[in-house]
Amino acid sequence: MSFKEKFKEGIITAKDFSREDIDYILQKGKEMIHNNKKADVLKGKILATLFFEPSTRTRLSFESAMYRLGGNVIGFHTGDVSSTKKGESIADTIRTVENYSDGIVIRHNLEGAARLAAKFAKIPIINAGSGSGEHPTQALLDLLTIIQEGHKLDGLNIGIMGDLKYGRTVHSLSILLSNYEANIYFISPKDLMLRKRDKDYLQQRQVKYKEIEKYRDILNILDILYVTRIQKERFADIEEYDRVKDFYVFTKKDMAETNDNFKIMHPLPRIKEISAEIDDSPKSIYFKQAYYGIPMRKAILAELLSN
Ligand code: NCD
C-alpha cells in the first residue's frame, strides 16, 4: 500500500507509522530541503488550518508550506472566532469545513480531537497537537533535523528532558523512535515523568530507555538533548507548576561537558529551560529545527493532497 493510500484519513498518531513509512516520508522531506521554488503540485488546492490553541511555528510553517507548493489556505487561529464559541461541536465544524477545503490541519486542547475529526471527515486530517496527547508532524520534523545533522536513528543516544507527562511532542517523538534502535534517557522531575500508558507502549515495543532526574552525569554520552517547556497550561494546580518550573536550565557550563557531535534541540517555544547564552553555538540547532518544519510539512502536504 502506498503512503498516500495508507494515510488517506490523514496523520492522527505517530503509532500509525511503520519504520518504512517514516523512512519514506523523511526521504520526501529531504528532497524538499532548499527547494524554494514555488512548485505547483498543490495548485488549486485549499488547506484549512483550525487552531483552537496558540501556535507560531506549526500553523505558520503549514501555511507557508502550502503556499510554497502553490496551494491556498483558509482557517482560524483561535477558537474564539469560530462557531465552536457558540457551542458548535467539533464534528459539525469538520463536516462544514470539509466542504471548503481539501485537507484540514487541527490543533485542539482535547486529546481525542484529531481522531474525532478524522471520524467525521472525508478529507485528510492532520493532527497539529491534541492536548497533552500527540503532535506527530513535529516528531517527523524532529527526526528530519536529527538525520540532517548527521546522526543515525539506529544507535542514537538521545536525552529527552522536561515535561514528559504533558509534552505531546515528546510522546510522538518517542513513539517514532521506537521503530529504531535508539537509547532514550527520559530526564524530568518525578512529577513530570512519562505516564504509565506511554511507558507501557515503549516497553511493549522493547525500547531501551532509562528514567533519570539529573542530566549532568550523562551529557558526555548524548548525541542529542531534546529539551521541552513545562506545559503550564496543562496543570490543574498552579502550585504543582510552581514546584517544577525552575527544575533545569541548560547553560554554557553544561555545553562545555558535551561531546563534539552533540546537538541540543527544542520544539520551541522556549521559556527559560535553555539559556540564551548558548544560542550562537553550532551545537544549538533549535532554530534550524524550526526551519525543517517547512520541508517536512511540504512533503506531508504534497503526499496527502496532490492528485
Ligand atoms: C509545541 C506544542 O505546541 O506542543 N510547540 C510546537 O508545536 N513546536 C511545544 C510546546 O508548546 O511546548
Side-chain angles (χ1 to χ4, degrees):
M1 202 192 305
S2 68
F3 186 95
K4 189 183 171 72
E5 241 167 76
K6 174 162 176 187
F7 291 93
K8 63 177 187 299
E9 289 185 4
I11 294 180
I12 310 300
T13 163
K15 289 180 180 164
D16 288 340
F17 283 78
S18 68
R19 182 174 171 129
E20 290 68 39
D21 298 328
I22 303 170
D23 290 343
Y24 174 82
I25 200 70
L26 289 179
Q27 179 56 31
K28 293 286 168 191
K30 227 173 175 165
E31 289 164 17
M32 291 288 186
I33 293 171
H34 304 307
N35 173 3
N36 274 333
K37 275 184 280 164
K38 187 170 167 161
D40 59 2
V41 280
L42 295 184
K43 198 171 164 205
K45 299 281 184 186
I46 297 176
L47 179 71
T49 55
L50 312 186
F51 278 67
F52 295 91
E53 278 197 333
S55 171
T56 297
R57 279 149 288 268
T58 304
R59 185 175 63 86
L60 294 181
S61 64
F62 262 116
E63 295 189 353
S64 174
M66 189 64 187
Y67 285 121
R68 286 192 195 282
L69 292 173
N72 290 293
V73 180
I74 57 170
F76 47 79
H77 51 262
T78 156
D80 290 356
V81 298
S82 81
S83 282
T84 49
K85 182 83 179 166
K86 303 179 189 166
E88 186 169 47
S89 67
I90 295 177
D92 288 1
T93 304
I94 294 298
R95 286 185 286 206
T96 303
V97 175
E98 70 174 348
N99 295 302
Y100 310 153
S101 59
D102 302 289
I104 295 176
V105 178
I106 182 170
R107 169 172 287 189
H108 200 283
N109 63 316
L110 290 176
E111 277 198 26
R115 166 83 59 215
L116 184 75
K119 200 173 142 206
F120 288 96
K122 287 184 276 300
I123 59 174
I125 298 289
I126 299 175
N127 180 2
S130 45
S132 51
E134 276 209 54
H135 192 350
T137 68
Q138 175 70 41
L140 286 170
L141 80 88
D142 295 338
L143 293 192
L144 182 63
T145 307
I146 293 170
I147 58 175
Q148 283 306 114
E149 289 297 312
H151 286 297
K152 294 224 166 8
L153 301 176
D154 285 318
L156 185 76
N157 290 311
I158 180 170
I160 303 183
M161 176 159 99
D163 191 340
L164 313 179
K165 183 177 180 187
Y166 299 117
R168 55 197 176 196
T169 69
V170 167
H171 303 147
S172 294
L173 179 60
S174 48
I175 292 166
L176 289 189
L177 282 173
S178 74
N179 290 282
Y180 300 85
E181 298 289 322
N183 303 304
I184 312 180
Y185 298 86
F186 290 111
I187 310 154
S188 72
K190 279 220 162 57
D191 289 345
L192 296 182
M193 284 185 174
L194 280 187
R195 292 166 297 188
K196 184 173 178 301
R197 62 173 199 212
D198 298 317
K199 282 193 269 195
D200 286 348
Y201 181 82
L202 298 179
Q203 277 162 20
Q204 194 193 315
R205 310 255 310 156
Q206 296 178 335
V207 174
K208 284 183 256 154
Y209 75 85
K210 281 202 179 81
E211 293 179 285
I212 56 176
E213 283 186 75
K214 296 201 169 69
Y215 63 93
R216 296 210 164 94
D217 313 337
I218 58 155
L219 277 180
N220 61 346
I221 59 164
L222 292 181
D223 302 312
I224 298 285
L225 180 62
Y226 185 97
V227 184
T228 65
R229 171 180 73 90
I230 309 283
Q231 310 281 299
K232 185 177 182 183
E233 67 277 27
R234 311 271 179 231
F235 284 75
D237 173 3
I238 194 71
E239 279 173 25
E240 192 193 338
Y241 169 75
D242 285 336
R243 272 202 300 279
V244 290
K245 72 177 197 300
D246 298 320
F247 187 71
Y248 50 82
V249 181
F250 191 93
T251 62
K252 214 170 172 167
K253 208 168 136 239
D254 295 321
M255 194 65 116
E257 302 295 316
T258 62
N259 68 42
D260 290 351
N261 298 322
F262 172 86
K263 298 281 156 56
I264 183 165
M265 296 173 64
H266 194 307
L268 304 176
R270 153 185 61 182
I271 309 305
K272 54 184 176 187
E273 52 280 1
I274 296 178
S275 163
E277 65 185 7
I278 65 158
D279 287 355
D280 294 334
S281 165
K283 293 178 173 181
S284 301
I285 57 166
Y286 22 92
F287 291 107
K288 255 195 204 172
Q289 185 183 350
Y291 155 74
Y292 285 118
I294 297 287
M296 197 63 246
R297 290 179 169 128
K298 277 170 79 175
I300 292 167
L301 292 173
E303 206 57 34
L304 262 48
L305 305 185
S306 64
N307 291 332

